[in-house]
Amino acid sequence: MYTREILEQPGKFVKNGIPVFGTFKGHPDRLDIRGVKNPYSFHFPKFLSNLRIKSRLSLYFSVGDYIGHVNFLDAKIFGFAEVVFWNAKTLKKFVYHSVMGPRKRFVPHDMNVAATGCYMNTRYIRISWDRKSGRISLNFKLKGDSVRPSVSASLNGRFSDNLATELTSILPSPTMRRCTGKYNAGFSLKGSITVTYKKQAPQTMAETEGLGFLDINRTYMKVHNQGEFITGIGSCNDKPVLFRIESTSQEAANPDRYNGNMLFYDGKVTVLPPVVITHPFGIKKDWVIQDTENMIDLSFTPSSDNINRVSIFLLKAVYNTIFGKLEGTLATCDGEKISFKGFNGISQKYNIRL
């Protein structure tokens, strides 16, 4: 069965200008990949190379009937915040986004105590964590318009939960000259969401237990980047299941040794092999996700799609965020087969030009 060695945290991920590659237990004190020596063909000064590092922070949540994610993109000269979620039963879609002006950092390096947010009057979005208290929080309050309702949420999770799981990866991007830093965490969430339609009374979901999945990514970007990934979040056999499977143009040249695919099942980590993701009839039809190690055999059936186009300065990006259902099997490191049918998932396909 496929496996990758899970190592102890190395302290720093760049030593003497060279990335420290590997898959590491738990969380670092800082997720920082600055300082790589000559990451590109042209020998830019380090501060210019550091500007090519783009960061993304996403928190996925599944609470009650609602499933979705909050996403922050840090492009140095501006930031982009987005909240996309669905009512999984009715497929009602809620989409809110905003562009933020220059700020020192939209996605924090500190993995012990930090916060990031959008603090506009009509778009308040905040994600924060504190290791000392073991807490992670998501809060948003978003004003609606003639089409969209106003929504607010307060969701809280705990890193000290028995089911909380963490994993860090430093991967070639795609060559050994450059690197990607990834951090993932799964945990229980508890809270409520309120939806208020114009001229109607607020509809508040009772405080409910759910699941959260945190994904933080920092990458020395190429000029053109594309990829797709699938996040599964829910329960199977009364046990929490969270996984991330991806295939991108930043993928390491040796993906069997270095990749970020992983499964958190009942509080235990399973590293997964590289995959091939196909959708022969288009991204709005069935996706097929398979590996060569007989650990991953899944199909993803889209239910609702959201497309977002960003064009600011030199950055042009197209993101498809799709809610749908997963069916098939995943194998754990213990050889247990987890079977899915009607399992909630969110897929994303992106194309970025810097």
Side-chain angles (χ1 to χ4, degrees), residues 9 13 25 35 70 88 116 119 150 152 160 168 182 193 225 236 258 260 275 338 346:
Q9 288 286 336
F13 295 124
K25 299 177 183 177
V70 175
T116 191
Y119 303 111
S150 296
S152 61
S160 54
T168 308
K182 289 177 58 66
I193 296 175
N225 304 273
C236 191
Y258 301 112
V275 297
I338 309 171
I346 296 175

Side-chain angles (χ1 to χ4, degrees), residues 35-225:
V36 172
K37 185 178 180 181
N38 299 330
Y40 298 98
S41 298
F42 296 99
H43 293 182
F44 295 115
K46 280 188 179 180
F47 81 93
L48 289 178
S49 296
N50 290 340
L51 288 176
R52 294 292 298 274
I53 299 173
K54 300 298 182 282
S55 304
R56 186 189 69 247
L57 184 154
S58 300
L59 199 161
Y60 295 78
F61 59 88
S62 177
V63 179
D65 292 338
Y66 295 106
I67 180 171
H69 81 142
V70 175
N71 186 54
F72 284 92
L73 174 67
D74 186 347
K76 303 299 183 185
I77 57 175
F78 73 93
F80 181 78
E82 181 181 55
V83 178
V84 181
F85 66 101
W86 288 264
N87 184 312
K89 290 186 177 179
T90 66
L91 297 185
K92 175 66 178 176
K93 178 174 61 177
F94 305 86
V95 180
Y96 306 82
H97 50 75
S98 58
V99 175
M100 299 170 287
R103 189 192 300 177
K104 182 179 179 182
R105 189 162 295 113
F106 294 96
V107 177
H109 287 130
D110 196 326
M111 301 302 296
N112 291 311
V113 181
T116 191
C118 173
Y119 303 111
M120 298 178 181
N121 290 334
T122 59
R123 295 286 185 270
Y124 176 84
I125 310 165
R126 188 173 191 270
I127 296 172
S128 62
W129 57 83
D130 185 343
R131 296 283 174 178
K132 190 172 182 179
S133 65
R135 183 175 178 176
I136 180 168
S137 300
L138 165 64
N139 295 277
F140 57 78
K141 187 174 183 180
L142 310 168
K143 188 175 181 179
D145 50 32
S146 59
V147 177
R148 294 171 294 184
S150 296
V151 298
S152 61
S154 178
L155 304 174
N156 296 288
R158 299 198 68 82
F159 289 117
S160 54
D161 189 308
N162 289 335
L163 298 177
T165 320
E166 301 174 284
L167 193 69
T168 308
S169 301
I170 305 298
L171 314 171
S173 178
T175 68
M176 305 291 275
R177 173 180 281 181
R178 297 191 295 273
C179 66
T180 290
K182 289 177 58 66
Y183 167 80
N184 294 122
F187 41 84
S188 299
L189 273 181
K190 186 176 183 179
S192 65
I193 296 175
T194 298
V195 178
T196 307
Y197 289 90
K198 197 172 184 179
K199 297 182 180 179
Q200 294 185 23
Q203 302 172 15
T204 302
M205 178 187 75
E207 191 167 271
T208 306
E209 296 277 356
L211 292 170
F213 178 80
L214 181 63
D215 175 66
I216 303 177
N217 182 291
R218 297 188 187 281
T219 305
Y220 281 90
M221 298 288 273
K222 301 187 295 182
V223 175
H224 293 278
N225 304 273

